[in-house]
Amino acid sequence: MNIVKPRIILLLTLKSLLDDALQHGQMLIYIDEAHIHLDTDEGYGWS
């Protein structure tokens, strides 16, 4: 699978969100899915 096109779409989306946040005082929140999965696995984190 060619990951270049989805990556370009992601980067353009992030650029747009960042531009909007900087120009209009919007807050961006980043959630790392890998850490969510780690925290919810039995024996790890807060679960």
Side-chain angles (χ1 to χ4, degrees), residues 23-41:
Q23 293 176 9
H24 303 290
Q26 301 291 335
M27 181 183 298
L28 294 179
I29 299 174
Y30 174 77
I31 300 174
D32 183 355
E33 183 179 355
H35 285 99
I36 291 173
H37 289 291
L38 180 65
D39 286 343
T40 59
D41 285 342

